[in-house]
Amino acid sequence: MGKRNNVTEFVFWGLSQNLEVEEVCFVVFSFFYAVILLGNLLIMLTVYKGNLFKFPMYFFLSCLSFVDICYSSVTAPKMIVDLLAKRKTISYEGCMLQLFGVHFFGCTEIFILTVMAYDRYVAICQPLRYMTIMSQDRCSKMLLGAWLGGFLHSIIQVALIVQLPFCGPNEIDHYFCDVHPMLKLACTDTYVVSVVVTANSGTIALGSFVILLISYTVILVSLRRQSADGRRKALSTCGSHVAVVIIFFGPCTFMYMRPDTTFSEDKTVAVFYTIITPMLNPLIYTMRNAEVKNVMKKLWGRKVFWEANDK
C-alpha cells in the first residue's frame, strides 16, 4: 500500500511537444468542444421543446446527446487547458476519476447505440408491433440497463488499476488517464490485470459491434420488401446510425481489443472516440434524418439554414 503513495500525481505528455502545434490544437479543439456542447444541447432542446420523448428514437437520441456531452467533458476541457500549460499534471485521485468517467460514459454510449440499433430493427422489421415492443416503460428499462452496464464496466476497470502500485516514473504518453498507459507505469507484473482489462473492454466493444452489424444487415435485407419511399426513409435513418457506429467502434476496437501494448498512434486514435464522434453525432443525426430536420425547422424557424443544406 505504501508503494502506491510514492506517486501522488501524473504528468501528461499531451498531444504534442511542439509549442506551435499545441497552439493550433488549442484553437481547433476549443472549436470542436464548443460544437459538441452546442450541437448536442440543440438536439436535447429540440426533443424537449417538441415533446418528442414519447417517440423511442428521439428519446434515445436525446440520451445519446447527453452522454456525448458528459463523455467529451471528461477529457476535452483538461486537454484544452493543458495545451497552453508548460507542465501538464493530474493528481492520482483525479486520474482515477478520469479513468472512471471515460469508461463509464464511453461504455454507456456503446450500449445506447446498441439499443438504438434494436429500435430501428423493430421499427423497420416489425412496424405493426413497434409501439407495443418499444413502450415507454421498456425504453426506460433499456436506458437504465445501459447506465448500469456502463457503471459496472468502469468500476471493474478502476478496481483493477487502483490496486496496482505506482512508484515511478509518473509520466503518461497520452492526454488523459486510460488503462493501457497506466498499466505501463505500474511497478509490478501486470499480465493478469491486462488480460482481464482486455477481456472486459474488448468483449463489450467487439460484442456490441457484432450485434450492431448483424442488426443492420437484417434491416437492409428486410428493406427489399418495403416500398421505394419507405426504403429511402429507412436507409436515410440507418445510414446515419451506421456512420456513427463505424466512426466510434473502429477506434475503440483498435484501442481495447489488444493486450497490454501502447502505440504512438493511440493518442490520435483516441481523439476520434473522445472528441470527433461526440462532435459528429449531432451533425450526422440531423443532416441525414429528414424527421429531425423537419422538427428543428418547425421549432427553431431556421429554414434558410436547413434549406441550404438540403440543396
Side-chain angles (χ1 to χ4, degrees), residues 280-299:
L280 290 180
N281 276 358
L283 298 172
I284 290 169
Y285 279 111
T286 51
M287 298 298 180
R288 295 278 300 161
N289 192 312
E291 290 176 35
V292 176
K293 282 200 280 188
N294 288 334
V295 171
M296 283 189 168
K297 278 181 187 178
K298 288 174 187 172
L299 283 172

Side-chain angles (χ1 to χ4, degrees), residues 197-209 256-257:
V197 161
T198 303
N200 185 9
S201 297
T203 303
I204 290 168
L206 191 64
S208 300
F209 191 38
Y256 299 111
M257 269 303 292

Side-chain angles (χ1 to χ4, degrees), residues 147-163:
W147 283 104
L148 288 175
F151 181 78
L152 184 64
H153 162 75
S154 53
I155 280 290
I156 292 168
Q157 298 292 75
V158 173
L160 290 167
I161 300 298
V162 158
Q163 49 88 33

